[in-house]
Amino acid sequence: MSSPIALSIIIVNFETPDYTLECIRSIFKNQPSSSFEVILIDNGSEDRSLDLIRSEFPEVVCIETGKNLGFARANNLGINNARGEFVLLLNSDTKILDNSLDRMLEYLFANPEAGAIGPRQLDGNGKLQLSWGGFPTLVSEVLRKLVHHRLSINDLKIRDYLEEKYAGASDVDWVSGSCLMARKKTLLDAGLLDGHFFMYFEDIDLCRRIKDNGWRIHYNSDITIVHYGGVSAKKNILNVLVEYRHSQIYFTRKYYGLNGVLALKAILLVKYSVNFLRWGITFMVDKLFRQKAQTSFAKLLLSKKTLEMVYKPERVVPGLGLDCGRSL
């Protein structure tokens, strides 16, 4: 039997070899002082990702899924194969800085009540990312979107407010799964990530179940990493945005019941009906005046797909009662 180690770092790769290699390089450049392993889950990549990674880092444990399992199920595969007392879920498009791994480990050792910790995350341009928060409601989701937008355009007032309010270690409801460190036992006791989430909301759901087991979730702004963000998603942004809504509906049904789902679907119905008309007219005008219509067509198609999802009957999932119309 393999001997236990302190930390298992799990990275899910789907055709992002350049970013994944940069991520792994940053780990070994800023490696923790404790024993560690890197487990790479390749989620059905059809490019040369694995060949490149194995060539440069033969010490990395590579596990091939053969198909895209989604973020949650791929990470669960990594957790189940992890030898570490602690586990770090790390996106492939992140970059470890300085001694951030040691500091996260030290924090969990020093704070036994903390079930998971997430660091401050900056994008590639140094803009603060909203990688923590409270459990979502219909109202808070609207506010979060507004804050996210203000941060994306580098609104210094919003950034300074968040940096001041959440300076140091803060008790929060969730931290992003793009960089989340926890005790392996904590993850196992929580039941791992819910595989019904293909992408999005699975980290919030996990943190909720960790908190339900009596642990605290901490965000620590004194520890920083870089998260470029959405690298895989940008390759198929339309389907990704629809998947976001699938996960949002599933999360809402799981925690707020049928009434919550009906309220959410009513909001989505109004929003995307208006968008469908708006972008349909814009698309026709663009075509009429021979202008580039890719943007208007993409947004028109997104509105159509979202409306189809809202109207689609929900199927039953054993033990929960909902599938959100998505094959898993």
Side-chain angles (χ1 to χ4, degrees):
M1 180 179 291
S2 300
S3 58
I5 57 176
L7 176 65
S8 295
I9 302 171
I10 299 171
I11 303 169
V12 177
N13 173 75
F14 178 68
E15 299 183 354
T16 57
D18 293 339
Y19 283 94
T20 302
L21 284 168
E22 181 181 359
C23 175
I24 298 173
R25 290 180 193 123
S26 73
I27 291 171
F28 284 98
K29 180 181 178 181
N30 303 286
Q31 65 186 50
S33 54
S34 305
S35 57
F36 75 101
E37 66 178 349
V38 177
I39 300 175
L40 182 122
I41 310 297
D42 186 74
N43 233 355
S45 298
E46 296 182 355
D47 59 5
R48 296 184 60 240
S49 291
L50 272 179
D51 292 338
L52 294 170
I53 293 165
R54 282 172 169 153
S55 175
E56 185 169 345
F57 295 101
E59 63 269 58
V60 169
V61 179
C62 294
I63 300 175
E64 300 179 60
T65 64
K67 62 179 180 179
N68 193 340
L69 300 178
F71 184 79
R73 292 171 64 190
N75 270 298
N76 286 346
L77 183 59
I79 295 168
N80 284 325
N81 282 275
R83 294 186 291 131
E85 178 184 356
F86 296 89
V87 171
L88 175 66
L89 306 183
L90 189 65
N91 272 22
S92 62
D93 58 347
T94 58
K95 183 179 180 181
I96 296 298
L97 302 177
D98 304 321
N99 58 348
S100 54
L101 295 175
D102 267 335
R103 295 190 67 185
M104 282 189 279
L105 278 170
E106 290 165 1
Y107 187 88
L108 288 177
F109 273 119
N111 296 271
E113 77 284 0
I117 180 178
R120 175 173 175 258
Q121 297 188 23
L122 304 178
D123 70 11
N125 296 313
K127 297 175 185 175
L128 179 68
Q129 294 185 333
L130 198 59
S131 59
W132 75 96
F135 290 129
T137 63
L138 295 180
V139 174
S140 69
E141 271 293 278
V142 173
L143 294 175
R144 189 182 68 83
K145 290 283 188 182
L146 291 173
V147 172
H148 178 77
H149 172 68
R150 300 309 300 178
L151 287 174
S152 71
I153 61 174
N154 208 23
D155 186 320
L156 296 181
K157 288 184 178 179
I158 291 292
R159 174 173 175 152
D160 290 346
Y161 168 77
L162 291 173
E163 294 274 36
E164 181 178 349
K165 182 176 180 179
Y166 293 95
S170 302
D171 200 6
V172 296
D173 284 338
W174 62 269
V175 291
S176 173
S178 53
C179 185
L180 182 155
M181 186 181 289
R183 295 168 178 81
K184 181 178 179 180
K185 184 179 186 304
T186 301
L187 298 175
L188 293 175
D189 289 347
L192 303 183
L193 290 92
D194 185 341
H196 292 106
F197 294 101
F198 189 80
M199 60 193 308
Y200 299 116
F201 284 88
E202 69 287 305
D203 45 6
I204 302 176
D205 170 74
L206 174 65
C207 287
R208 180 154 187 161
R209 286 182 283 115
I210 289 174
K211 291 194 74 170
D212 286 345
N213 283 346
W215 297 93
R216 293 182 178 276
I217 307 295
H218 287 175
Y219 166 75
N220 194 327
S221 66
D222 292 334
I223 307 170
T224 301
I225 69 158
V226 173
H227 179 211
Y228 296 104
V231 173
S232 293
K234 290 173 184 175
K235 296 180 179 180
N236 199 348
I237 190 65
L238 179 62
N239 286 341
V240 165
L241 292 173
V242 174
E243 282 296 339
Y244 177 89
R245 295 302 181 191
H246 274 301
S247 293
Q248 185 181 32
I249 291 173
Y250 177 73
F251 182 91
T252 302
R253 176 65 176 87
K254 188 172 182 178
Y255 292 106
Y256 300 108
L258 181 59
N259 288 337
V261 171
L262 293 176
L264 174 60
K265 284 194 169 186
I267 293 171
L268 294 177
L269 179 62
V270 172
K271 175 180 178 178
Y272 285 98
S273 294
V274 172
N275 283 354
F276 185 77
L277 292 173
R278 173 191 174 191
W279 292 110
I281 294 171
T282 303
F283 174 70
M284 288 188 289
V285 170
D286 287 343
K287 295 293 286 184
L288 180 64
F289 290 96
R290 300 179 182 275
Q291 298 176 5
K292 292 183 178 180
Q294 291 95 329
T295 299
S296 56
F297 179 73
K299 292 187 176 181
L300 176 63
L301 195 57
L302 171 62
S303 301
K304 176 179 178 292
K305 283 180 172 288
T306 305
L307 287 172
E308 289 173 347
M309 179 193 65
V310 169
Y311 278 114
K312 192 171 186 178
E314 296 163 0
R315 298 196 303 270
V316 171
V317 168
L320 184 63
L322 181 68
D323 173 69
C324 298
R326 172 156 51 89
S327 60
L328 303 173

